[in-house]
Amino acid sequence: MMHRTFCLFFGLLGLVAPTASCFAQTVPRQKTLFDNDWKFHFGHAADPQQDFDFTVANIFSKSGKAVGTAIDPRFADSTWQTLQLPHDWAVQLPFVEVDNFDVMAHGYKPVGGLFPETSIGWYRKHFQVARADSGQRFVIEFDGVFRDSQIWLNGFYLGNHPSGYTGVAYDLTDYLRYGEANVLVVRVDATQYEGWFYEGAGIYRHVWLHQYDPLHIPLHGVFVHAKVEGPQAIVTVEASVENETDTPVEGTVAAYLLDRDGKRLAESKADFSALPAHDTQTVVQHLTLPTPHLWSLDDPYRYRMVTEIQRNNKVVDRVETRFGVRTIEITPDRGMFLNGQHVMLQGVNCHQDHAGVGSAVPDALQYYRIRLLKEMGVNAYRASHNPPTPELLDACDSLGMLVMDENRLLNSSPAYLQQLEDLIVRDRNHPSVFMWSIGNEEPSQTSAIGRRIAQTLLQKQRELDPTRTSTYAADLANVYKGINEVIPVRGFNYRHEGVAPYHADHPEQPLVGTEMGSTVTTRGIYVVDSIRGYVPDYDSTHPWWSSTAEAWWTEAAAHPYWMGGFIWTGFDYRGEPTPYAWPNINSHFGVMDVCGFPKNIYYYYQSWWTDEDVLHLTPHWNWPGREGQPIKVWVNTNAETVELFLNGKSLGTKTMPRNEHLEWMVPYQPGKLEAVALKDGRKIRKKMETTGAAYRIVLTPDRTTLTPDGRDATVLNVSVQDKKGREVPDAQHLIRFSLDGTGRMLGVGNGDPSSHEPDQCPDGQWQRHLFNGKCQLIVQAGTQPGTFTIGATAEGLKAASVVIQMP
């Protein structure tokens, strides 16, 4: 296929009045969510008969030959499970104790080569396409399948996509049966891991069916970027035009710049002539935006660019692209600037799973997690260590969160170069993405091979997106070899003691902490428990290769050449249990647990990453049987001084050192522990009381109104109170849930890194123990307006309920 580029500059355009014909045409392009009514069944990696004869039937001898297998469109799948995507079958499996490092690292789930009976999944989808649409093009797009997917339509093989993290699309047009039943079949092979952490299994992201005219803009075929020049911005639109007809065509590409309310701000139109049959051209246009409203962390404003193709004065395709206008400046000595304002990166690393749902995270939960991080003071998110789901980036765009978007593997072979290209082309319109990462902690990072691979990847990045730069996450201290010689921004994984000498030796290279801290803590636990695999909830315990939060942040905050850094990690995640193995099934690294409940270290960061009044005491004050014994009390605050009281008696006043914390050893007495802090001449108070016995359940929903689309979801956090309304921090009751109405329960969790309770309860008996006073339920909307009621009961406790509205 031949590619041509037409660069057209239209000068300084003022405000342009809308023209009557712009949006009057009916445009055939459609994007349909393809998540509902899939059939699912396990195959078998070692037994062909249980794998529907996949490896013994000669399905590749003739095109479309699939007789008698699950690939055959006539195959009877009525007994298969019916489900809705996204779907992660691994989260539904029981935990298994196996002495194998990779199984341990993936959270002790029976997925991988040792478990052939639960590592192959088959999906089938039945659908129809109207005969009237037979002149259109149809493309199926999978946002993410873990992993090694093979796909067929009506028995015809579409292709294979090994990656579990980049999306893939296939043109279905030649194989469709118009006006008749079509069957899409996906075989997912999760016998091989890609990471060393929980990855899930199955079609765990959305699937979309695209329909458009043979003359169209291909998927991700529009790149919008802006350059601020004084009081205005020059917005560049690069639009690919694809002609999938059998004759040359002529036409125009029009670009319309709209504000958030849909008001036309600028427009441009370019001709393309004699676009050959089955060819693609890229049309580049420039529009002038006076007084741009800049995208920022506190005001994440986005514009819309509408790109239309017209042929014979008729609109045949239209694509709408959301984008933001902002400037990023990265310096070697002063850090990073967003829109000319200095920004210290207060970032977190995150894997993509959540309690109850594994990797099949509902869109609403992406927004919930980003809001939790912003409340802590986080302003940057590193997608570790793979391309994120598109909805995560949408959440960061709309809520104001910078993103370091990371490539999966450092490899320049055609397959992996294509993965990098897919990542960049898909994500480069997101204003939240401020930097690319080409890889993480690769064995070849100090070698000449690593350097050459990095140079190839960097060249591809600059070709596809010259508006951003790249880093690489190196677990090396003051080392300037291999990748570090060519990477534009030096990334440090831990080894923060090596940052200062590296900067002194290489003052011209900007640097950022790509992984920092890595304290291990268990929410609500204050002693070492090697039997259950718990570590104290203080900023005190860390692996040999990492540091406490306080150690790295005091260093970074004191030196302007740091861009800041990303904590390992924002949330606990499944797999990679550290420092223990079984019974641990998830990590302890999170500032929050897998449900998003804060640990003590959360308040350290919130103290120094926000301007809010923060005063936090830890631990709780329920210690029966420990009367008279010393309890280590930590205070996190951004006040100047703190005085601590026990039952009204002062235990002394201490000055709060910048970026640190305060400690007291307090002999336990039941009653009230209170801190009184002085900040800017104001008193701030926080108390911790010994509670009575648990009396009632409290359900706290994130939202009580959902869209009745079958996709929207909300989180209900569960706690218990005593008769005086005080939250009981050490309660461990079993909470049972019920749902009355058209919604559905998706998953449960409690943040216990050693809990082996099921995350999903297909038998209908939904329940979860509290872990140190808390657990969580995730529910999803139905498809019809109405209400549903969530109930929560426990033996000996007053029940609770919440009504969810779906107007």
Side-chain angles (χ1 to χ4, degrees), residues 405-454:
D405 208 344
E406 187 155 279
N407 182 41
R408 178 65 203 92
L409 278 179
L410 187 88
N411 192 318
S412 55
S413 70
Y416 284 100
L417 208 57
Q418 184 63 53
Q419 287 188 26
L420 177 66
E421 180 170 346
D422 292 343
L423 166 68
I424 293 174
V425 169
R426 187 198 69 173
D427 295 349
R428 60 189 177 180
N429 289 315
H430 289 278
S432 58
V433 176
F434 77 103
M435 183 183 294
W436 307 105
S437 170
I438 64 169
N440 173 79
E441 296 185 3
E442 293 279 355
S444 63
Q445 61 188 338
T446 59
S447 69
I449 292 175
R451 183 181 67 249
R452 292 195 296 268
I453 293 173

Short mmCIF file of all heavy atoms in Angstrom, two decimals, residues 405-454:
data_model
loop_
_atom_site.label_atom_id
_atom_site.label_comp_id
_atom_site.label_asym_id
_atom_site.label_seq_id
_atom_site.Cartn_x
_atom_site.Cartn_y
_atom_site.Cartn_z
N ASP A 405 2.96 6.48 29.88
CA ASP A 405 2.39 5.35 29.15
C ASP A 405 3.53 4.42 28.75
O ASP A 405 4.47 4.83 28.07
CB ASP A 405 1.67 5.89 27.91
CG ASP A 405 0.54 5.01 27.45
OD1 ASP A 405 0.48 3.84 27.87
OD2 ASP A 405 -0.29 5.48 26.65
N GLU A 406 3.43 3.14 29.16
CA GLU A 406 4.59 2.26 29.08
C GLU A 406 4.41 1.12 28.08
O GLU A 406 3.39 0.43 28.07
CB GLU A 406 4.90 1.68 30.46
CG GLU A 406 6.19 0.88 30.52
CD GLU A 406 6.77 0.84 31.91
OE1 GLU A 406 7.44 1.82 32.29
OE2 GLU A 406 6.55 -0.15 32.62
N ASN A 407 5.46 0.93 27.30
CA ASN A 407 5.59 -0.19 26.38
C ASN A 407 5.82 -1.48 27.17
O ASN A 407 6.44 -1.46 28.24
CB ASN A 407 6.77 0.08 25.44
CG ASN A 407 6.98 -0.99 24.41
OD1 ASN A 407 6.03 -1.50 23.84
ND2 ASN A 407 8.23 -1.31 24.15
N ARG A 408 5.37 -2.61 26.65
CA ARG A 408 5.49 -3.86 27.41
C ARG A 408 6.93 -4.40 27.44
O ARG A 408 7.44 -4.72 28.50
CB ARG A 408 4.55 -4.93 26.82
CG ARG A 408 4.63 -6.29 27.50
CD ARG A 408 4.17 -6.24 28.95
NE ARG A 408 4.73 -7.32 29.73
CZ ARG A 408 5.85 -7.26 30.41
NH1 ARG A 408 6.57 -6.14 30.45
NH2 ARG A 408 6.29 -8.28 31.08
N LEU A 409 7.59 -4.52 26.30
CA LEU A 409 8.91 -5.15 26.27
C LEU A 409 9.88 -4.34 25.42
O LEU A 409 9.50 -3.77 24.39
CB LEU A 409 8.83 -6.56 25.70
CG LEU A 409 8.40 -7.68 26.64
CD1 LEU A 409 8.34 -9.00 25.89
CD2 LEU A 409 9.34 -7.81 27.82
N LEU A 410 11.13 -4.34 25.85
CA LEU A 410 12.20 -3.71 25.08
C LEU A 410 12.65 -4.69 24.00
O LEU A 410 13.50 -5.54 24.23
CB LEU A 410 13.36 -3.34 26.00
CG LEU A 410 14.46 -2.52 25.33
CD1 LEU A 410 14.13 -1.04 25.44
CD2 LEU A 410 15.81 -2.80 25.95
N ASN A 411 12.07 -4.54 22.81
CA ASN A 411 12.39 -5.45 21.72
C ASN A 411 12.05 -4.74 20.42
O ASN A 411 10.98 -4.14 20.31
CB ASN A 411 11.57 -6.74 21.85
CG ASN A 411 12.05 -7.84 20.93
OD1 ASN A 411 12.36 -7.60 19.76
ND2 ASN A 411 12.10 -9.07 21.44
N SER A 412 12.96 -4.79 19.46
CA SER A 412 12.75 -4.08 18.20
C SER A 412 12.45 -5.02 17.04
O SER A 412 12.54 -4.62 15.88
CB SER A 412 13.97 -3.23 17.86
OG SER A 412 15.16 -4.02 17.85
N SER A 413 12.08 -6.26 17.33
CA SER A 413 11.64 -7.16 16.26
C SER A 413 10.35 -6.61 15.66
O SER A 413 9.66 -5.78 16.29
CB SER A 413 11.39 -8.56 16.82
OG SER A 413 10.25 -8.57 17.65
N PRO A 414 9.98 -7.04 14.45
CA PRO A 414 8.76 -6.50 13.84
C PRO A 414 7.52 -6.63 14.72
O PRO A 414 6.70 -5.71 14.79
CB PRO A 414 8.63 -7.33 12.56
CG PRO A 414 10.04 -7.70 12.21
CD PRO A 414 10.72 -7.93 13.52
N ALA A 415 7.38 -7.76 15.42
CA ALA A 415 6.19 -7.96 16.25
C ALA A 415 6.13 -6.95 17.39
O ALA A 415 5.09 -6.34 17.67
CB ALA A 415 6.18 -9.38 16.81
N TYR A 416 7.26 -6.72 18.06
CA TYR A 416 7.26 -5.82 19.20
C TYR A 416 7.32 -4.36 18.78
O TYR A 416 6.81 -3.47 19.48
CB TYR A 416 8.39 -6.17 20.15
CG TYR A 416 8.06 -7.41 20.95
CD1 TYR A 416 8.59 -8.65 20.60
CD2 TYR A 416 7.20 -7.35 22.03
CE1 TYR A 416 8.27 -9.80 21.30
CE2 TYR A 416 6.87 -8.48 22.75
CZ TYR A 416 7.41 -9.70 22.38
OH TYR A 416 7.07 -10.83 23.08
N LEU A 417 7.92 -4.09 17.63
CA LEU A 417 7.87 -2.73 17.09
C LEU A 417 6.43 -2.37 16.73
O LEU A 417 6.01 -1.23 16.92
CB LEU A 417 8.78 -2.63 15.87
CG LEU A 417 9.38 -1.24 15.57
CD1 LEU A 417 10.18 -0.71 16.74
CD2 LEU A 417 10.25 -1.31 14.32
N GLN A 418 5.68 -3.36 16.27
CA GLN A 418 4.28 -3.13 15.97
C GLN A 418 3.49 -2.86 17.25
O GLN A 418 2.58 -2.01 17.27
CB GLN A 418 3.69 -4.33 15.24
CG GLN A 418 2.24 -4.14 14.80
CD GLN A 418 2.09 -3.03 13.80
OE1 GLN A 418 2.77 -3.00 12.77
NE2 GLN A 418 1.21 -2.06 14.08
N GLN A 419 3.84 -3.55 18.34
CA GLN A 419 3.16 -3.29 19.61
C GLN A 419 3.41 -1.86 20.08
O GLN A 419 2.50 -1.19 20.58
CB GLN A 419 3.62 -4.28 20.67
CG GLN A 419 3.09 -5.69 20.48
CD GLN A 419 3.39 -6.60 21.65
OE1 GLN A 419 3.55 -6.15 22.78
NE2 GLN A 419 3.47 -7.90 21.40
N LEU A 420 4.65 -1.38 19.94
CA LEU A 420 4.94 0.01 20.30
C LEU A 420 4.14 0.97 19.42
O LEU A 420 3.58 1.96 19.91
CB LEU A 420 6.43 0.29 20.18
CG LEU A 420 6.85 1.74 20.47
CD1 LEU A 420 6.59 2.10 21.93
CD2 LEU A 420 8.31 1.96 20.10
N GLU A 421 4.09 0.69 18.14
CA GLU A 421 3.32 1.54 17.23
C GLU A 421 1.85 1.54 17.60
O GLU A 421 1.20 2.60 17.63
CB GLU A 421 3.51 1.09 15.78
CG GLU A 421 2.74 1.93 14.78
CD GLU A 421 3.11 1.64 13.34
OE1 GLU A 421 4.14 0.98 13.11
OE2 GLU A 421 2.36 2.08 12.45
N ASP A 422 1.30 0.38 17.90
CA ASP A 422 -0.11 0.30 18.29
C ASP A 422 -0.37 1.13 19.54
O ASP A 422 -1.40 1.83 19.64
CB ASP A 422 -0.51 -1.15 18.55
CG ASP A 422 -0.52 -1.99 17.28
OD1 ASP A 422 -0.55 -1.41 16.19
OD2 ASP A 422 -0.49 -3.23 17.39
N LEU A 423 0.54 1.06 20.51
CA LEU A 423 0.40 1.83 21.74
C LEU A 423 0.38 3.32 21.45
O LEU A 423 -0.52 4.06 21.90
CB LEU A 423 1.55 1.49 22.69
CG LEU A 423 1.76 2.42 23.89
CD1 LEU A 423 0.61 2.30 24.86
CD2 LEU A 423 3.09 2.10 24.57
N ILE A 424 1.35 3.80 20.71
CA ILE A 424 1.49 5.24 20.49
C ILE A 424 0.35 5.78 19.63
O ILE A 424 -0.25 6.82 19.95
CB ILE A 424 2.86 5.55 19.86
CG1 ILE A 424 3.97 5.22 20.87
CG2 ILE A 424 2.94 7.01 19.43
CD1 ILE A 424 5.37 5.37 20.30
N VAL A 425 0.03 5.08 18.55
CA VAL A 425 -1.03 5.56 17.66
C VAL A 425 -2.37 5.58 18.38
O VAL A 425 -3.18 6.49 18.19
CB VAL A 425 -1.08 4.68 16.39
CG1 VAL A 425 -2.33 4.97 15.58
CG2 VAL A 425 0.16 4.92 15.54
N ARG A 426 -2.60 4.61 19.24
CA ARG A 426 -3.87 4.58 19.98
C ARG A 426 -3.96 5.69 21.01
O ARG A 426 -5.03 6.28 21.22
CB ARG A 426 -4.02 3.22 20.68
CG ARG A 426 -5.36 3.00 21.35
CD ARG A 426 -5.32 1.87 22.37
NE ARG A 426 -4.53 2.22 23.55
CZ ARG A 426 -4.45 1.46 24.65
NH1 ARG A 426 -5.08 0.29 24.69
NH2 ARG A 426 -3.71 1.84 25.67
N ASP A 427 -2.86 6.02 21.69
CA ASP A 427 -2.92 6.87 22.89
C ASP A 427 -2.42 8.29 22.70
O ASP A 427 -2.50 9.10 23.62
CB ASP A 427 -2.10 6.21 24.02
CG ASP A 427 -2.69 4.90 24.48
OD1 ASP A 427 -3.84 4.59 24.09
OD2 ASP A 427 -2.02 4.17 25.23
N ARG A 428 -1.92 8.66 21.54
CA ARG A 428 -1.24 9.95 21.41
C ARG A 428 -2.17 11.15 21.42
O ARG A 428 -1.70 12.29 21.52
CB ARG A 428 -0.39 9.94 20.14
CG ARG A 428 -1.16 9.74 18.85
CD ARG A 428 -0.25 9.53 17.66
NE ARG A 428 -1.02 9.27 16.44
CZ ARG A 428 -0.47 9.06 15.26
NH1 ARG A 428 0.86 9.06 15.13
NH2 ARG A 428 -1.23 8.83 14.21
N ASN A 429 -3.49 10.95 21.31
CA ASN A 429 -4.41 12.08 21.41
C ASN A 429 -4.80 12.41 22.84
O ASN A 429 -5.49 13.41 23.07
CB ASN A 429 -5.69 11.79 20.60
CG ASN A 429 -5.44 11.81 19.10
OD1 ASN A 429 -4.77 12.70 18.60
ND2 ASN A 429 -5.97 10.82 18.40
N HIS A 430 -4.39 11.61 23.80
CA HIS A 430 -4.78 11.83 25.19
C HIS A 430 -3.90 12.92 25.81
O HIS A 430 -2.67 12.75 25.90
CB HIS A 430 -4.64 10.54 26.00
CG HIS A 430 -5.67 9.52 25.67
ND1 HIS A 430 -6.94 9.55 26.21
CD2 HIS A 430 -5.64 8.43 24.86
CE1 HIS A 430 -7.64 8.52 25.75
NE2 HIS A 430 -6.87 7.83 24.93
N PRO A 431 -4.47 14.02 26.28
CA PRO A 431 -3.64 15.06 26.90
C PRO A 431 -2.98 14.62 28.19
O PRO A 431 -1.97 15.19 28.60
CB PRO A 431 -4.64 16.21 27.15
CG PRO A 431 -5.98 15.53 27.21
CD PRO A 431 -5.90 14.39 26.26
N SER A 432 -3.54 13.61 28.85
CA SER A 432 -2.95 13.13 30.10
C SER A 432 -1.59 12.48 29.87
O SER A 432 -0.73 12.50 30.76
CB SER A 432 -3.88 12.14 30.79
OG SER A 432 -4.17 11.04 29.94
N VAL A 433 -1.38 11.90 28.69
CA VAL A 433 -0.11 11.23 28.40
C VAL A 433 0.96 12.29 28.16
O VAL A 433 0.90 13.02 27.18
CB VAL A 433 -0.24 10.30 27.19
CG1 VAL A 433 1.11 9.68 26.85
CG2 VAL A 433 -1.28 9.20 27.45
N PHE A 434 1.92 12.37 29.07
CA PHE A 434 2.96 13.39 28.95
C PHE A 434 4.31 12.80 28.55
O PHE A 434 5.21 13.52 28.15
CB PHE A 434 3.11 14.17 30.26
CG PHE A 434 3.87 13.43 31.34
CD1 PHE A 434 5.18 13.75 31.62
CD2 PHE A 434 3.26 12.42 32.08
CE1 PHE A 434 5.89 13.08 32.61
CE2 PHE A 434 3.95 11.75 33.06
CZ PHE A 434 5.28 12.08 33.33
N MET A 435 4.44 11.47 28.65
CA MET A 435 5.72 10.84 28.35
C MET A 435 5.48 9.36 28.06
O MET A 435 4.59 8.74 28.64
CB MET A 435 6.69 10.99 29.52
CG MET A 435 8.09 10.44 29.29
SD MET A 435 9.16 10.58 30.75
CE MET A 435 9.32 12.36 30.87
N TRP A 436 6.31 8.83 27.16
CA TRP A 436 6.31 7.39 26.89
C TRP A 436 7.44 6.72 27.67
O TRP A 436 8.46 7.35 27.93
CB TRP A 436 6.50 7.10 25.40
CG TRP A 436 5.54 7.82 24.51
CD1 TRP A 436 5.80 8.91 23.73
CD2 TRP A 436 4.15 7.52 24.31
NE1 TRP A 436 4.67 9.30 23.06
CE2 TRP A 436 3.65 8.46 23.38
CE3 TRP A 436 3.30 6.53 24.81
CZ2 TRP A 436 2.32 8.45 22.97
CZ3 TRP A 436 1.98 6.52 24.39
CH2 TRP A 436 1.49 7.47 23.47
N SER A 437 7.24 5.48 28.03
CA SER A 437 8.31 4.66 28.59
C SER A 437 8.50 3.47 27.66
O SER A 437 7.55 2.76 27.35
CB SER A 437 7.95 4.17 30.00
OG SER A 437 8.88 3.20 30.45
N ILE A 438 9.74 3.27 27.22
CA ILE A 438 9.99 2.20 26.25
C ILE A 438 10.25 0.85 26.91
O ILE A 438 10.37 -0.16 26.21
CB ILE A 438 11.15 2.56 25.30
CG1 ILE A 438 12.47 2.69 26.08
CG2 ILE A 438 10.84 3.82 24.52
CD1 ILE A 438 13.69 2.79 25.16
N GLY A 439 10.33 0.79 28.24
CA GLY A 439 10.55 -0.50 28.88
C GLY A 439 10.90 -0.37 30.34
O GLY A 439 10.98 0.73 30.90
N ASN A 440 11.13 -1.52 30.97
CA ASN A 440 11.33 -1.58 32.41
C ASN A 440 12.29 -2.72 32.79
O ASN A 440 12.03 -3.88 32.47
CB ASN A 440 9.98 -1.82 33.11
CG ASN A 440 10.13 -2.06 34.60
OD1 ASN A 440 10.30 -1.13 35.37
ND2 ASN A 440 10.05 -3.31 35.03
N GLU A 441 13.42 -2.38 33.42
CA GLU A 441 14.31 -3.35 34.07
C GLU A 441 14.66 -4.55 33.19
O GLU A 441 14.57 -5.70 33.63
CB GLU A 441 13.69 -3.82 35.38
CG GLU A 441 13.52 -2.74 36.42
CD GLU A 441 13.00 -3.27 37.76
OE1 GLU A 441 12.84 -4.50 37.90
OE2 GLU A 441 12.78 -2.46 38.67
N GLU A 442 15.07 -4.30 31.98
CA GLU A 442 15.40 -5.40 31.07
C GLU A 442 16.82 -5.91 31.32
O GLU A 442 17.72 -5.12 31.65
CB GLU A 442 15.28 -4.93 29.62
CG GLU A 442 13.86 -4.59 29.20
CD GLU A 442 13.05 -5.81 28.84
OE1 GLU A 442 13.62 -6.92 28.82
OE2 GLU A 442 11.84 -5.67 28.56
N PRO A 443 17.06 -7.21 31.16
CA PRO A 443 18.41 -7.76 31.35
C PRO A 443 19.47 -7.13 30.44
O PRO A 443 20.64 -7.07 30.79
CB PRO A 443 18.23 -9.24 31.05
CG PRO A 443 16.79 -9.52 31.28
CD PRO A 443 16.07 -8.26 30.89
N SER A 444 19.04 -6.64 29.26
CA SER A 444 19.99 -6.09 28.30
C SER A 444 20.23 -4.59 28.48
O SER A 444 20.88 -3.96 27.64
CB SER A 444 19.47 -6.33 26.88
OG SER A 444 18.24 -5.66 26.67
N GLN A 445 19.77 -4.02 29.59
CA GLN A 445 19.74 -2.57 29.70
C GLN A 445 21.13 -1.91 29.70
O GLN A 445 21.26 -0.74 29.32
CB GLN A 445 18.96 -2.14 30.95
CG GLN A 445 19.53 -2.61 32.26
CD GLN A 445 18.58 -2.30 33.42
OE1 GLN A 445 17.73 -1.44 33.35
NE2 GLN A 445 18.73 -3.03 34.52
N THR A 446 22.17 -2.64 30.09
CA THR A 446 23.51 -2.03 30.11
C THR A 446 24.37 -2.47 28.93
O THR A 446 25.56 -2.15 28.89
CB THR A 446 24.24 -2.38 31.42
OG1 THR A 446 24.36 -3.80 31.53
CG2 THR A 446 23.49 -1.84 32.63
N SER A 447 23.79 -3.17 27.98
CA SER A 447 24.59 -3.73 26.89
C SER A 447 24.45 -2.88 25.62
O SER A 447 23.55 -2.04 25.49
CB SER A 447 24.13 -5.15 26.58
OG SER A 447 22.83 -5.15 26.01
N ALA A 448 25.34 -3.14 24.67
CA ALA A 448 25.25 -2.49 23.36
C ALA A 448 23.98 -2.91 22.64
O ALA A 448 23.38 -2.12 21.89
CB ALA A 448 26.47 -2.83 22.53
N ILE A 449 23.56 -4.16 22.84
CA ILE A 449 22.31 -4.63 22.23
C ILE A 449 21.14 -3.81 22.76
O ILE A 449 20.28 -3.34 22.00
CB ILE A 449 22.10 -6.13 22.50
CG1 ILE A 449 23.15 -6.95 21.74
CG2 ILE A 449 20.69 -6.56 22.12
CD1 ILE A 449 23.10 -8.43 22.04
N GLY A 450 21.09 -3.64 24.07
CA GLY A 450 20.03 -2.84 24.67
C GLY A 450 20.02 -1.42 24.13
O GLY A 450 18.95 -0.85 23.86
N ARG A 451 21.20 -0.84 23.97
CA ARG A 451 21.30 0.52 23.43
C ARG A 451 20.75 0.59 22.02
O ARG A 451 19.97 1.49 21.68
CB ARG A 451 22.74 1.01 23.47
CG ARG A 451 22.91 2.45 22.98
CD ARG A 451 24.35 2.91 23.00
NE ARG A 451 25.17 2.20 22.02
CZ ARG A 451 26.12 1.33 22.32
NH1 ARG A 451 26.41 1.06 23.58
NH2 ARG A 451 26.81 0.71 21.35
N ARG A 452 21.11 -0.38 21.18
CA ARG A 452 20.65 -0.36 19.79
C ARG A 452 19.14 -0.56 19.70
O ARG A 452 18.45 0.09 18.90
CB ARG A 452 21.39 -1.43 18.98
CG ARG A 452 22.87 -1.12 18.79
CD ARG A 452 23.47 -2.00 17.69
NE ARG A 452 23.44 -3.41 18.01
CZ ARG A 452 24.43 -4.08 18.62
NH1 ARG A 452 25.53 -3.44 18.99
NH2 ARG A 452 24.33 -5.37 18.86
N ILE A 453 18.62 -1.48 20.52
CA ILE A 453 17.17 -1.68 20.54
C ILE A 453 16.48 -0.39 20.96
O ILE A 453 15.49 0.04 20.35
CB ILE A 453 16.79 -2.84 21.48
CG1 ILE A 453 17.30 -4.17 20.94
CG2 ILE A 453 15.27 -2.89 21.68
CD1 ILE A 453 17.12 -5.33 21.90
N ALA A 454 17.00 0.25 22.00
CA ALA A 454 16.40 1.50 22.49
C ALA A 454 16.42 2.57 21.41
O ALA A 454 15.43 3.31 21.24
CB ALA A 454 17.14 1.98 23.73
#
